[in-house]
Amino acid sequence: MAILITFLLGVGNFALHHAVMASGHPMLGRVPWLTHSLGGRVTLVVEFLLLFAALMFASEGNAGGPIAYVIYSVLNSFSAWLILTDRV
């Protein structure tokens, strides 16, 4: 169950990531080294590595990884909401 929840949160995080990157928010222009490195793929690689690590922890029966990923997902969702609704 932890693997499924972590995976679904990962899908949501990737969707939010894509929406923020496609939003053209001015804040993205302030960090061109992050958003334009390797064609903008660096942030996707980091997102994938976080998901992969959480899934590995879940597969080993350790609840720490998935719990940390849930916390990360909540914070990521909140920051994406702030960016996408132009509150920042």
Side-chain angles (χ1 to χ4, degrees), residues 8-80:
L8 292 175
L9 285 172
V11 170
N13 281 333
F14 273 98
L16 286 172
H17 183 95
H18 177 70
V20 167
M21 296 302 277
S23 72
H25 194 275
M27 188 167 43
L28 296 175
R30 294 183 183 170
V31 285
W33 56 270
L34 184 63
T35 57
H36 299 296
S37 298
L38 298 175
R41 303 277 192 253
V42 169
T43 55
L44 286 174
V45 169
V46 171
E47 189 79 45
F48 172 76
L49 290 175
L50 288 170
L51 175 61
F52 183 74
L55 287 171
M56 288 298 103
F57 276 111
S59 71
E60 294 294 324
N62 186 340
I67 289 172
Y69 197 73
V70 167
I71 294 168
Y72 165 75
S73 296
V74 168
L75 295 173
N76 191 36
S77 299
F78 181 66
S79 63

